[in-house]
Amino acid sequence: MELTVRDSLHLGDLCRAKVIAGTKGLSNIIRHVSVIEVPDAYRWCKGHELFITAFYSLKEDIQGQLLMIQELKANNAAALAICYPKLYMEGIAEALIDKANELALPILELPNDVAYVNIIDPVLEEIAKRRKRALEYALRISRLFTQMTLRGADIRELLQILSRELRAPVIVLDRDYVVLNSYNPGGMPVPQCIAKYLTGKLDRRLTHILKIIRNYREPTRHFIRTHPGERIGCVAMPIIIDDACEGFLVAFEIHEQLNETSLAAIEHACVGLSIIMMKKKIITETELRMQGDLMDDIVSNRYPEETILDRAERLGLNLSSKRIVIVATVDMENDQCDIALSYGKDRISHIYIIIKETLRRENQNNVILLRGKQIVILPELGEASDGESAKIRASNIADLINRSLSVVQNIPRVRIGIGRYHQQLSDLAVSYRQAKSAVILGKYFLGDKSIVCFDEIESIDLFLASLNATQAEEYVKTTLGPLLDHDLKYNAELIKTLEACFQHGDQSQKVADSLHIHRNTLSYRKQNIRKFLNIDPFVGHDRFRVQMALILRRLLLKQLFHTDSNL
């Protein structure tokens, strides 16, 4: 802990000092001691100095004295000790005392028999002692965190040690502002907003701070406003891996402001966290790559069952009783998260980790794999030994995934498809294809339904399987041609409107909101759709025809028919 003006009043002849002004500044930090007798010597200030003066050159110049303490304050001086005030002057002017109180710059009055050396030496010795203790503390903390990381400690272990050292609640977040871990030493009472942060519920007050410090390389202090006129301090620092921000460490100053040694502990903790996170990232990427390769081989059926089982066992996975597949995908098109996170690989990996941790807690034998942008789940069936009981078991797993994701902030919508139960391990490829079809077709036919079983879309899947790309293109052009031509010519959105109507059903307000238009505008567009198609696509058999054409168009655009057409 650094030396304050208040602490210095117990050292050497400063014990005899009288604080005559600036008591609000007694917590100012002293890092240097210097003598000032030349009026413009403040130009060489380093900040945090305890200045000693007799005001000899300004003994009859009150304005000069006032100017000096103003400049000292502007240059972040800690305090001014005035020696021999009645030897060269009649006394310390009231105007000087008033100005020092206004500036919160402590003025210390010392007796006439005090020697400068009896102030300078004790203060410098104490500063040196404290710096030595701070260095020893920093080395101890550095060794501690280094040893912890080398023996394989995780984020929570390191966080517990840091929190106890700081006597403050702390949280670690990933680079997308998702709380990875938190710790509150001794369960100390904390303000409501901090309690929410510790449970992973962030708000814009904290995320704004994290956005600011993303490119910083040292801990910085910030303030979070809790009530009008009230605020709480926090110290935040990014966790850097390969010169890129991969996370954040935040400590909250609930009871006292964190000192310089605490900031050093935070800095060393961030180094340890970066090593832990980098190690975890490398292991996870390797694991995902090997699991992805395994899933590719399962889907392709290119190896015998014994080979697949052996490879899975080497990865710590038991596939012997896996007979049904669940596929989960992120619905990027309807992602409306409040905080813009990075799409793609990192985002899907984060959802994969949540699902994996949830399902491993449910049953250690559940298998969770990542294949490209798909999360593939092979649930442990337990007593389920037929199609119906396996479907119930898989549906329960899907519900558990939905519940686990619903409590996590800033997670996009996840759609889940469930394939059929099959007797042979080699038929997992079939179950996987069925689960994938349930996800894709369920989105376009069943709208807001987030969990879809293959049984629900089987007839549609059979119909689509009977088509090739040329047939699909012809069907789309025949059914939707007038709308496609109109949208292309006038840059209109009738196709988009038609898709929204099918997605949200008869909920006109929801359809209008999704398109960001008024309900009257929606009605006008629907009239135009009927006019251009010369049918009513919202009822009866025509509804099925148009809905099928929209799905085929989507599949063609995604090149699932392997065509280069641009419908």
Side-chain angles (χ1 to χ4, degrees), residues 201-237:
K201 298 175 182 177
L202 305 192
D203 57 32
R204 294 189 182 276
R205 289 174 294 181
L206 183 57
T207 56
H208 176 70
I209 291 171
L210 300 180
K211 288 176 184 177
I212 291 173
I213 69 163
R214 184 175 282 273
N215 295 318
Y216 291 5
R217 293 296 182 269
E218 58 186 19
T220 51
R221 177 169 285 104
H222 307 268
F223 294 94
I224 298 170
R225 194 169 299 282
T226 54
H227 300 288
E230 295 182 22
R231 61 183 190 173
I232 291 176
C234 68
V235 174
M237 183 174 177

Side-chain angles (χ1 to χ4, degrees), residues 44 47 54 60 80 109 119 124 129 140 155 163 183 219 288 321 345 370 378 421 488 533 555-556 558 566:
W44 295 282
E60 297 176 356
L80 179 66
E109 181 181 2
I119 299 173
L124 290 180
K129 285 180 184 177
R140 180 177 69 82
I155 292 175
S163 184
Y183 191 75
L288 292 179
S321 61
K345 184 178 177 181
L370 188 59
L378 308 176
Y421 172 85
L488 183 62
L533 293 181
L555 297 177
L556 286 165
K558 291 178 178 292
N566 186 23

Side-chain angles (χ1 to χ4, degrees), residues 270-461:
C270 280
V271 174
L273 288 168
S274 68
I275 295 171
I276 292 172
M277 292 171 72
M278 181 167 58
K279 180 180 174 183
K280 185 176 180 180
K281 183 179 180 182
I282 293 170
I283 292 172
T284 301
E285 287 178 351
T286 303
E287 178 186 83
L288 292 179
R289 186 173 63 253
M290 295 176 71
Q291 290 181 359
D293 292 343
L294 175 66
M295 193 62 211
D296 288 343
D297 292 338
I298 292 173
V299 169
S300 66
N301 265 334
R302 71 179 78 167
Y303 295 106
E305 184 174 311
E306 294 76 15
T307 303
I308 294 294
L309 289 172
D310 180 61
R311 284 182 56 194
E313 187 176 351
R314 292 184 185 185
L315 291 173
L317 306 174
N318 179 7
L319 298 185
S320 59
S321 61
K322 306 302 184 291
R323 296 295 182 268
I324 192 169
V325 178
I326 303 170
V327 171
T329 64
V330 176
D331 189 357
M332 296 296 191
E333 293 178 17
N334 294 318
D335 186 3
Q336 297 177 346
C337 293
D338 291 334
I339 301 173
L341 305 182
S342 56
Y343 287 101
K345 184 178 177 181
D346 290 331
R347 189 129 190 231
I348 294 165
S349 293
H350 174 61
I351 296 172
Y352 161 79
I353 290 169
I354 295 173
I355 293 176
K356 181 178 178 181
E357 291 176 351
T358 300
L359 297 188
R360 284 292 175 84
R361 284 195 298 268
E362 195 268 349
N363 191 312
Q364 281 290 330
N365 291 321
N366 288 326
V367 173
I368 305 92
L369 308 172
L370 188 59
R371 185 175 192 245
K373 295 182 179 180
Q374 299 169 352
I375 299 166
V376 181
I377 300 106
L378 308 176
E380 177 63 27
L381 296 179
E383 299 298 321
S385 58
D386 58 67
E388 190 57 33
S389 59
K391 180 180 174 181
I392 293 171
R393 167 67 178 156
S395 297
N396 291 337
I397 289 287
D399 286 333
L400 178 59
I401 291 171
N402 264 353
R403 291 197 302 273
S404 68
L405 294 175
S406 67
V407 298
V408 182
Q409 288 190 325
N410 308 315
I411 291 293
R413 178 173 182 173
V414 172
R415 293 183 178 272
I416 301 172
I418 301 174
R420 278 203 178 126
Y421 172 85
H422 294 271
Q423 291 286 346
Q424 303 298 323
L425 178 67
S426 57
D427 288 332
L428 280 180
V430 178
S431 186
Y432 166 77
R433 190 196 68 78
Q434 293 169 340
K436 191 170 71 167
S437 292
V439 171
I440 297 171
L441 299 180
K443 175 177 179 179
Y444 299 121
F445 276 98
L446 303 178
D448 290 337
K449 192 169 184 181
S450 58
I451 301 174
V452 178
C453 293
F454 180 70
D455 295 349
E456 299 174 80
I457 52 86
E458 183 178 15
S459 58
I460 303 168
D461 184 70

Side-chain angles (χ1 to χ4, degrees), residues 8 19 92 115-116 127 154 176 193 249 257 274 277 341 348 398 405 419 428 446 454 517 524:
S8 72
V19 182
I92 299 173
Y116 283 11
I127 290 172
D154 59 17
D176 293 327
C193 68
L249 173 61
Q257 182 172 301
S274 68
M277 292 171 72
L341 305 182
I348 294 165
L405 294 175
L428 280 180
L446 303 178
F454 180 70
I517 60 176
Y524 176 72

Side-chain angles (χ1 to χ4, degrees), residues 134-146 149 158 162 219 237 249 260-275:
L135 180 60
E136 290 172 345
Y137 174 81
L139 290 172
R140 180 177 69 82
I141 287 293
S142 177
R143 282 196 297 268
L144 174 62
F145 290 152
T146 300
T149 54
L158 191 147
L162 176 67
M237 183 174 177
L249 173 61
E260 289 298 316
T261 54
S262 297
L263 298 187
I266 289 173
E267 211 164 346
H268 289 299
C270 280
V271 174
L273 288 168
S274 68
I275 295 171

Side-chain angles (χ1 to χ4, degrees), residues 33-51:
V33 185
S34 187
V35 176
I36 184 168
E37 295 295 356
V38 180
D40 60 350
Y42 57 79
R43 292 185 300 170
W44 295 282
C45 281
K46 292 184 177 180
H48 301 287
E49 287 102 337
L50 167 61
F51 282 108

